């Protein structure tokens, strides 16, 4: 099967009756790219994957590879077994009545490849996933990690032109997950073809991807590199999902720029805040924020718990009453409340011990206050 | 749940009536039958009954007749049940209603259905009327009181049972297995033969065993819809006749025992066949 | 998954077999009803020559219907009641306790459902004759109890299983002894199960033929055995009359089956086998 340069999903929509599971889904995947669909349960990421694989029909829009239309929501539809894509399921879906060898050989045997070719390619796949010696075992005799590898070998042995991975690491324990994560990336590199990965785990997405697609209730919230998504979330949802646990309403009093630096003065929760940033990298968010400033509308500031420090400082000092403090070893996880009732979360290294109901002073690094427009949606 | 392995007083007391009852009224008759088959009218131990059976052409013929009736019905039942259970594997509309109607013949019992068949499939029954109107037959004949009638009745009674068992098995196969096979390039047919059917095998065997034992013991259908004294003289009928008309209880018991042995042989054969064709776990997939 | 839009072989089979099956079963039952209300129907016409209830009158004169129904219900109820008494405790132990030989005992309990009645019925009947219980009500009840005890154990078990294990522990901690637990907690909680099992069993026992047939006498025939005899015993009986009897049996079964549907789901029981 011909390899493709681009997989294009244009205005794709999918619904079950009145329920829109996927809406206005636009995505391009280049050959060799590792793209992750990231979002909470129910955001439609697995549905999107199923549509790409052909296991589900779309209702609107178009899915195509280069010029070949795979699904146009109507009559044109290429069935899943003819798309040349590989898929790895969360529960591995290994055939319980077949040995490891036969599981891996399955795709080759259904396309009637000659026996010696099958043997050669299966053995190669087994070596690639480090399962030598397990060929004659049955899935029930393998550990979770081993089953995972069989699932991988089974899907890549036909050298699919696109690899789809549906939360493949969710069933593994943490340690194994981190190990397997690395191996998955290696396999992607070896295949030299595109991979589309689905997960709800932020750190997995950041570690593995070339491009992350953040989704919420069927709609794409942001597409960007890990860095772009982590440092410059497009809206409140993405910010919250990527760990900016403090999202507060704020009003801009002034915006000044000098020597390649932008400075935004804000008022939030009764405190004065200064956000400083290097202009060049902030392009995306700029216009909306500046417009909001002009119209006197509210914006949001997004701050990570780790970026809040204990004690007072020259700028961005605030006071709050501690509600909960958890001892984590080197740091404390502190939840505190401002006078106006808004909550804040900080991870600080206090100079003395803190307890409930203490009034504590915090400060925030001016370069770590991220200003985003208020889309008025709850995260 | 208590972890004791032995029988507490409570366990014993509760199980006692049921165990004793079934031992006496269910298990013992078999032993009694074996004993009867190995004794003659006076009570002396002998193999005469078995010898008599295997040297009697009429009796031996009943084995053939019974197999000729039971095997095709069972095989047809199973093939259709597998096919239909596969279709119903992800549930269908009105499943409960369909199940109710399929189970109706079993609920009503063989006698009623067979009795109705005499009118319905008879010379003046609606089926014949229809066939004549459509030009399929020139002269109306009775569709029953022959091999065909017995087979039809048996099928009506045994097919639903097999279907229900197999639906349980097909719906237990995780859908992701089918999806995986599809994504790996298998056509629907390949997925069925290489994945679905092998995973259904345990159910197929159980359904076969139950259907076959039921069909092989055909009695009422053979009498009501067949010609029990000649064409459809099945083993169960022969056993009955020897007990109730000739009062030869020993010989009757012998026939019963031989029936059991034949059933065990055939079922054993089918199970052995399966073990040679399909090895490996019969679990139905993680998840 | 929505990729199966076309009807394959299995789909065709599903519709063909189901439709043929249902049409014929429906046709069989309808023939019986129609015939019983017809005067005569043997000239190859779609319907009887004319309709009347004369065959029903004939039936009333030929058989003592009241006695028949009475005997049938008596035998059925006795069978179900005695089976329940034996089956309930056994179901409890199987559902809630572990013990040596549990697998063997459970198999023993389920065997009568897997082996066709005629197979164990004949040896059993011979035995019943030998102990001179044949043709008595007791004899008929005993033979019918064999599959019924098994059936009731099977049907009652799920209702007991669904009562949490710690309900019993809780009641013991609150001071109840075993007897109190059973009478005041377990049995009341499982009454739906008992009811369901009993009605299902009644339906089942009414249509049990072979066992009763082998041990009953003229006065202890159940409805279904009478139906069979009318068809097969020597002598001539008009089919219209027999069909009338069949209709009575059919109505009885259907009414009880419908009641049992309201109380539980019968097909799920069969699927356990």
């Amino acid at each position: 099967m011909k390899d493709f340069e681009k997989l294009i999903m244009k205005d794709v929509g999918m619904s079950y009756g009145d329920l829109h599971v996927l809406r206005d889904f636009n995505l391009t995947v280049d050959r060799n790219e590792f793209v992750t669909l990231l979002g909470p349960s129910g955001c439609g990421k697995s549905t999107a994957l199923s549509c790409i694989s052909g296991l589900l029909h779309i209702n609107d829009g178009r899915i195509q590879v280069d010029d070949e239309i795979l699904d146009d929501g109507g009559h044109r539809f290429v069935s899943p077994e003819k798309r040349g894509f590989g898929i790895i399921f969360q529960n591995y879906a290994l055939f319980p009545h077949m040995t490891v060898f036969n599981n891996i050989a399955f795709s080759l045997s259904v396309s009637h490849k000659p026996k010696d070719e099958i043997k050669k390619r299966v053995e190669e796949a087994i070596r690639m996933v480090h399962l030598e010696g397990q060929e004659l075992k049955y899935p029930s005799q393998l550990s979770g990690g081993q089953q995972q590898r069989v699932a991988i070998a089974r899907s890549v042995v036909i050298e699919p032109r696109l690899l789809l991975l549906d939360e493949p690491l969710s069933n593994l324990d943490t340690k194994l997950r981190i190990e397997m994560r690395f191996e998955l990336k290696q396999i992607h590199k070896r295949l030299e073809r595109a991979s589309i990965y689905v997960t709800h785990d932020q750190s997995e997405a950041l570690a593995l991807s070339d491009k992350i697609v953040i989704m919420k209730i069927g709609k794409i919230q942001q597409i960007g590199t890990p860095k772009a998504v982590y440092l410059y979330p497009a809206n409140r949802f993405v910010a919250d999902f990527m760990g900016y646990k403090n999202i507060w309403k704020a009003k801009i009093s002034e915006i000044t720029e000098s020597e390649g630096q932008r400075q935004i003065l804000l008022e939030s929760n009764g405190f004065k805040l200064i956000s400083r940033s290097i202009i060049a990298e902030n392009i995306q968010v700029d216009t909306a924020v500046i417009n909001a400033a002009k119209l006197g509308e509210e914006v949001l500031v997004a701050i990570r718990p780790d970026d809040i420090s204990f004690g007072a400082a020259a700028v961005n000092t605030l006071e709050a009453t501690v509600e909960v403090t958890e001892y984590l070893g080197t740091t404390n996880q502190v939840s505190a409340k401002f006078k106006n009732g808004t909550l804040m979360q900080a991870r600080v290294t206090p100079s003395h011990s803190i307890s409930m109901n203490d009034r504590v002073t915090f400060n925030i690094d001016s370069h770590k206050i991220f200003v985003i427009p208020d889309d008025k949606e709850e995260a | 749940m208590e972890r004791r392995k032995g029988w507490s007083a409570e366990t014993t007391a509760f199980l006692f009536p049921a165990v004793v009852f079934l031992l006496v009224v269910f298990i013992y008759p078999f032993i009694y039958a074996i004993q009867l088959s190995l004794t003659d009218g006076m009570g002396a131990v002998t193999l005469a009954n078995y010898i008599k059976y295997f040297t009697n052409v009429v009796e031996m013929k009943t084995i053939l007749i019974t197999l000729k009736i039971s095997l095709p019905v069972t095989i047809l039942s199973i093939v259709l049940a597998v096919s239909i259970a596969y279709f119903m594997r992800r549930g269908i509309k009105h499943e409960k209603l369909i199940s109710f109607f399929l189970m109706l013949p079993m609920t009503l019992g063989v006698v009623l259905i067979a009795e109705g068949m005499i009118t319905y499939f008879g010379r003046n029954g609606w089926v014949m009327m229809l066939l004549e109107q459509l030009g399929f037959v020139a002269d109306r004949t009775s569709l029953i009181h022959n091999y065909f009638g017995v087979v039809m009745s048996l099928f009506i009674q045994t097919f639903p049972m097999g279907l229900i068992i197999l639906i349980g098995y097909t719906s237990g196969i995780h859908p992701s297995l089918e999806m995986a096979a599809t994504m790996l390039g298998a056509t629907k047919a390949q997925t069925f033969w290489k994945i679905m059917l092998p995973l259904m095998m345990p159910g197929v065997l159980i359904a076969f065993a139950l259907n076959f034992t039921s069909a092989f013991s055909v009695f009422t259908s053979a009498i009501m819809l067949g010609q029990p004294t000649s064409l459809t003289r099945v083993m169960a009928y022969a056993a009955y006749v020897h007990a109730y008309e000739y009062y030869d209880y020993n010989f009757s018991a012998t026939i019963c025992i031989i029936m059991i042995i034949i059933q065990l042989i055939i079922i054993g054969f089918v199970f052995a066949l399966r073990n040679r064709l399909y090895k490996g776990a019969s679990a139905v997939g993680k998840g | 998954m929505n990729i199966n839009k076309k009807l394959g072989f299995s789909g065709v089979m599903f519709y063909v077999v189901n439709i043929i099956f249902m049409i014929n079963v429906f046709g069989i039952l309808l023939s019986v009803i129609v015939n019983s209300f017809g005067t005569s129907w043997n000239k190859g016409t779609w319907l009887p020559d004319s309709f009347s209830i004369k065959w029903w009158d004939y039936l009333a004169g030929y058989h003592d219907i009241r006695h028949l129904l009475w005997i049938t219900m008596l035998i059925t109820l006795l069978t179900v009641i005695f089976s329940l008494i034996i089956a309930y405790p056994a179901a409890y132990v199987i559902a809630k306790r572990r013990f040596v030989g549990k697998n063997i005992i459970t198999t023993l309990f389920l065997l009568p459902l897997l082996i066709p009645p005629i197979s164990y019925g004949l040896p059993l009947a011979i035995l019943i004759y030998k102990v001179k219980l044949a043709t008595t009500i007791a004899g008929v009840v005993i033979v019918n109890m064999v599959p019924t005890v098994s059936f009731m154990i099977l049907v009652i078990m799920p209702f007991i299983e669904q009562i949490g294990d710690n309900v019993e522990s809780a009641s013991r901690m609150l001071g109840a002894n075993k007897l109190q637990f059973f009478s005041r907690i377990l049995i009341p909680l499982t009454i739906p199960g008992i009811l369901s099992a009993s009605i299902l069993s009644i339906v089942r026992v009414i249509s049990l033929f072979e066992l009763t047939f082998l041990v009953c006498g003229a006065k202890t025939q159940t409805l279904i055995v009478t139906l069979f005899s009318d068809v097969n015993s020597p002598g001539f009986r008009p089919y219209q009359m027999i069909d009338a009897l069949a209709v009575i049996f059919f109505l009885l079964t259907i009414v009880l089956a419908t009641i049992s549907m309201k109380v539980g789901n019968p097909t799920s029981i069969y699927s356990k086998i």
Side-chain angles (χ1 to χ4, degrees):
Chain A
M1 194 156 296
K2 252 182 6 140
D3 282 317
F4 59 83
E5 287 303 316
K6 289 191 193 302
L7 168 81
I8 302 168
M9 296 177 73
K10 189 149 172 48
D11 300 327
V12 171
M14 207 248 137
S15 38
Y16 288 116
D18 289 329
L19 188 66
H20 285 280
V21 189
L22 218 54
R23 271 179 303 173
D24 308 320
F25 196 91
N26 283 287
L27 177 66
T28 305
V29 178
D30 294 323
R31 193 195 157 123
N32 284 359
E33 235 186 339
F34 193 109
V35 174
T36 299
L37 305 181
L38 176 65
S41 311
C43 69
K45 52 193 195 292
S46 288
T47 308
L49 206 71
S50 298
C51 291
I52 297 172
S53 70
L55 290 171
L56 280 178
H57 276 277
I58 61 177
N59 299 116
D60 307 296
R62 210 169 59 226
I63 302 181
Q64 62 191 86
V65 289
D66 293 334
D67 293 322
E68 184 196 349
I69 298 206
L70 296 179
D71 190 349
D72 68 355
H75 291 295
R76 278 188 288 185
F77 180 76
V78 177
S79 51
E81 62 265 26
K82 298 205 179 75
R83 294 192 185 190
F85 297 168
I87 190 166
I88 299 177
F89 292 97
Q90 188 178 354
N91 69 346
Y92 320 136
L94 298 182
F95 304 130
H97 60 299
M98 292 187 185
T99 57
V100 166
F101 188 94
N102 284 328
N103 259 287
I104 300 177
F106 184 77
S107 53
L108 299 170
S109 76
V110 294
S111 48
H112 307 298
K113 297 267 182 291
K115 268 228 166 100
D116 25 296
E117 183 184 337
I118 294 183
K119 192 161 186 290
K120 189 165 102 44
R121 289 170 75 166
V122 172
E123 278 170 7
E124 205 183 295
I126 288 182
R127 272 197 299 274
M128 178 167 73
V129 295
H130 310 302
L131 273 178
E132 295 94 330
Q134 313 293 331
E135 292 88 342
L136 296 178
K137 291 229 177 104
Y138 287 90
S140 56
Q141 298 170 297
L142 302 174
S143 70
Q146 289 172 318
Q147 290 182 8
Q148 165 70 278
R149 291 164 206 259
V150 177
I152 295 173
R154 185 176 70 170
S155 292
V156 305
V157 74
I158 26 159
E159 291 174 14
R161 51 183 185 158
L162 170 66
L163 191 59
L164 304 168
L165 304 107
D166 193 347
E167 304 207 50
L169 304 179
S170 300
N171 284 0
L172 302 173
D173 60 64
T174 323
K175 182 163 163 292
L176 208 50
R177 223 181 290 178
I178 300 179
E179 278 175 34
M180 290 303 302
R181 200 162 82 187
F182 179 72
E183 292 207 27
L184 281 178
K185 195 65 195 277
Q186 297 302 100
I187 289 172
H188 163 77
K189 289 209 186 112
R190 269 183 78 151
L191 277 180
E192 290 181 347
R193 289 183 187 81
S195 296
I196 303 183
Y197 190 90
V198 162
T199 184
H200 58 269
D201 186 329
Q202 186 209 118
S203 47
E204 256 171 42
L206 292 171
L208 292 167
S209 328
D210 296 319
K211 192 151 80 186
I212 300 181
V213 179
I214 300 191
M215 297 173 66
K216 173 188 172 190
I217 316 180
K219 280 189 107 145
I220 296 181
Q221 303 293 307
Q222 183 174 1
I223 301 182
T225 60
K227 193 171 175 196
V229 161
Y230 188 80
L231 293 176
Y232 307 111
N235 59 30
R236 184 197 201 126
F237 175 80
V238 179
D240 181 56
F241 195 82
M242 298 309 291
Y244 290 82
K245 289 300 170 198
N246 298 297
I247 300 183
W248 306 323
K249 289 199 194 293
K251 257 203 156 142
I252 301 181
S253 16
E254 201 191 345
I255 302 183
T256 53
E257 295 179 12
S258 64
E259 290 155 21
Q261 258 219 34
R262 175 180 293 116
Q263 189 165 281
I264 304 180
L265 270 73
L266 314 110
E267 252 210 47
S268 176
N269 296 316
F271 301 104
K272 293 215 186 312
L273 299 176
I274 304 181
S275 164
R276 294 192 181 106
S277 55
I278 315 291
I279 294 183
E281 300 196 41
N282 244 14
I283 331 168
Q284 256 185 316
V285 179
D286 245 25
T287 346
V289 167
I290 294 178
N291 282 341
K294 285 203 199 118
L295 301 169
E297 285 170 354
E298 279 186 330
V299 292
L300 298 171
V301 288
I303 304 158
R304 294 183 175 279
D306 309 88
D307 294 332
I308 302 183
S309 315
F310 188 78
V315 290
N316 298 333
T317 302
L318 353 97
E319 255 184 23
T321 311
V322 175
E323 299 226 305
V324 182
T325 157
E326 288 173 339
Y327 177 72
L328 295 175
T330 31
T331 54
N332 278 33
Q333 175 104 339
V334 179
S335 287
K337 224 186 210 177
F338 295 129
K339 234 197 284 202
N340 67 357
T342 311
L343 287 171
M344 66 164 268
Q345 266 190 58
R347 205 172 271 212
V348 295
T349 312
S351 54
H352 56 77
S353 62
I354 356 176
S355 26
M356 223 172 85
N357 291 326
D358 283 354
R359 294 214 77 203
V360 183
T361 314
F362 300 96
N363 71 78
I364 312 173
D365 181 341
S366 63
H367 289 93
K368 300 288 170 79
I369 298 179
F370 191 66
V371 186
I372 44 178
D374 188 352
D375 50 17
K376 311 246 184 320
E377 273 187 61
E378 286 307 306
Chain B
M1 286 251 258
E2 286 178 20
R3 304 227 164 256
R4 260 183 282 162
K5 283 279 196 128
W7 286 43
S8 66
E10 176 197 72
T11 307
T12 319
F14 283 10
L15 287 179
F16 191 72
V19 172
V20 167
F21 178 76
L22 285 176
L23 281 179
V24 169
V25 186
F26 178 71
I27 299 290
Y28 178 62
F30 283 117
I31 302 176
Y32 184 57
I34 296 178
Q35 185 200 334
L36 274 180
S37 69
L38 292 170
T39 54
D40 63 21
M42 310 305 160
V45 176
T46 169
L47 281 176
N49 291 314
Y50 287 93
I51 298 175
K52 183 168 153 207
Y53 188 86
F54 287 113
T55 54
N56 183 323
V57 177
V58 175
E59 298 300 340
M60 291 294 282
K61 231 177 130 197
T62 63
I63 301 182
L64 210 64
I65 292 173
T66 314
L67 283 175
K68 238 178 67 172
I69 293 175
S70 52
L71 275 176
V73 171
T74 308
I75 293 174
L76 183 66
S77 265
I78 296 291
V79 168
L80 287 177
V82 165
S83 166
I84 294 175
Y86 170 72
F87 180 77
M88 291 175 74
R89 66 193 180 286
R90 268 178 250 116
I92 45 152
K93 284 195 278 212
H94 315 302
E95 194 169 326
K96 272 210 179 145
L97 198 67
I98 294 182
S99 303
F100 174 75
F101 278 113
L102 285 175
M103 296 302 287
L104 199 56
M106 268 188 77
T107 319
L108 295 173
V110 189
V111 177
L112 179 65
I113 296 291
E115 203 270 321
M117 281 171 71
I118 294 177
T119 309
Y120 181 72
F121 284 111
R123 259 188 77 236
N124 299 309
W126 285 330
V127 176
M128 259 302 149
M129 296 287 304
L130 189 68
L131 290 178
E132 196 189 30
Q133 297 270 327
L134 291 178
F136 285 133
V137 288
D139 274 320
R140 296 194 316 271
T141 49
S142 177
L143 278 175
I144 42 125
H145 295 309
N146 53 23
Y147 173 82
F148 188 58
V150 179
V151 161
M152 265 197 296
S153 172
L154 257 189
F155 181 81
I156 292 178
Q157 296 293 325
T158 56
F159 167 72
M161 186 171 50
L163 182 63
I164 302 258
I165 292 176
L166 282 170
I167 289 177
Y169 272 85
T170 52
S171 54
I173 300 177
H174 201 275
S176 64
L177 292 177
E178 234 187 298
M179 290 191 231
T182 307
M183 290 302 292
L184 290 167
T187 60
K188 286 251 292 246
Q190 283 174 320
T191 308
F192 175 78
W193 290 105
K194 289 180 186 261
I195 309 291
M196 301 299 285
L197 189 59
L199 289 174
M200 282 167 75
M201 263 306 149
V204 172
L205 290 175
I206 292 175
F208 177 84
L210 288 176
N211 272 11
F212 180 69
T213 17
S214 185
F216 193 76
S217 319
V218 60
F219 177 70
T220 316
S221 299
I223 298 176
M224 292 183 79
L225 294 167
Q227 291 170 40
T229 48
S230 56
L231 252 190
T232 60
R233 188 167 190 271
V234 295
M235 288 184 79
Y237 182 76
Y240 167 77
V241 161
H242 281 283
Y244 284 73
E245 288 178 25
Y246 306 150
Y247 301 108
D248 188 350
Y249 297 131
N250 303 71
F251 198 61
S252 174
T254 311
I255 301 180
C256 289
I257 299 298
I258 296 178
M259 276 180 76
I260 294 177
I261 294 178
I262 295 181
Q263 285 170 324
L264 287 174
I265 291 177
I266 295 196
I267 293 178
F269 177 72
V270 172
F271 271 72
L273 201 64
R274 182 250 173 165
N275 282 332
R276 292 190 98 228
L277 294 176
Y278 297 102
K279 299 196 185 89
S282 51
V284 289
K286 229 179 108 164
Chain C
M1 219 166 95
N2 60 358
I3 64 173
N4 297 322
K5 292 257 163 88
K6 282 207 266 182
L7 217 56
F9 173 79
S10 63
V12 171
M13 281 297 111
F14 170 79
Y15 285 106
V16 165
V17 172
N18 270 307
I19 291 176
I20 293 183
F21 193 90
M22 289 198 236
I23 289 181
N24 281 304
V25 170
F26 184 67
I28 290 172
L29 296 171
L30 198 60
S31 309
V32 169
I33 299 174
V34 169
N35 197 28
S36 70
F37 286 108
T39 48
S40 56
W41 194 11
N42 51 13
K43 297 192 195 68
T45 52
W46 286 102
L47 288 176
D49 300 335
S50 55
F51 291 96
S52 94
I53 56 166
K54 76 177 202 192
W55 295 112
W56 288 82
D57 280 331
Y58 189 88
L59 175 67
Y62 190 85
H63 285 302
D64 185 350
I65 300 287
R66 259 207 304 172
H67 173 82
L68 212 49
L69 286 172
W70 156 249
I71 274 285
T72 305
M73 289 321 291
L74 178 68
I75 289 175
T76 305
L77 287 171
L78 284 176
T79 306
V80 171
I81 291 172
F82 285 123
S83 300
L84 180 62
I85 295 175
I86 297 182
Y88 189 87
Y92 174 78
V93 174
I94 302 269
K96 291 287 184 184
R97 299 277 181 261
R98 270 209 242 155
F99 51 90
V100 171
K102 181 167 177 176
N103 283 333
I104 303 179
I105 299 284
T106 310
T107 313
L108 171 66
F109 286 161
L110 294 180
L111 229 41
L113 293 173
L114 303 173
I115 300 185
I118 199 80
S119 301
Y120 61 85
L122 260 174
L124 176 57
I126 297 175
L127 204 58
I128 295 279
Y129 268 93
K130 288 261 163 157
V131 299
K132 307 225 191 307
L133 272 179
T135 75
T136 64
I137 290 185
V140 177
V141 169
I142 289 177
V143 298
N144 278 304
M145 275 172 72
V146 177
T148 310
V149 164
S150 296
F151 184 72
M152 293 192 96
I153 292 179
L154 190 66
V155 180
I156 293 177
M157 260 175 57
F159 289 98
I160 296 187
E161 274 168 346
Q162 76 184 22
I163 296 176
D165 292 333
N166 37 24
V167 170
E168 188 175 349
S169 308
S171 76
R172 302 272 288 280
M173 293 296 287
L174 291 166
N177 61 29
K178 278 276 172 81
L179 185 62
Q180 287 169 320
F181 166 69
F182 279 109
S183 58
R184 298 177 69 171
I185 301 191
L186 186 69
I187 293 181
L189 275 177
T190 51
I191 287 198
I194 295 177
L195 220 57
S196 174
S198 305
I199 298 178
L200 282 173
S201 303
I202 291 176
V203 175
R204 214 163 176 275
V205 172
I206 286 186
S207 34
L208 278 180
F209 168 68
E210 282 110 346
L211 294 168
T212 311
F213 174 70
L214 293 173
V215 300
C216 70
K219 291 221 191 65
T220 50
Q221 276 185 1
T222 56
L223 200 57
I224 191 118
V225 176
T226 310
L227 190 57
F228 175 85
S229 303
D230 281 355
V231 176
N232 282 89
S233 307
F236 171 76
R237 290 159 214 88
Y239 267 101
Q240 289 91 332
M241 182 204 86
I242 303 179
D243 281 341
L245 186 61
V247 171
I248 295 180
F249 173 79
F250 173 63
L251 283 174
L252 185 62
T253 313
I254 283 289
V255 166
L256 287 170
T258 314
I259 297 178
S260 79
M261 289 275 282
K262 299 261 182 213
V263 180
N265 183 355
T267 56
S268 64
I269 307 305
Y270 288 113
S271 72
K272 283 187 194 295
I273 298 181

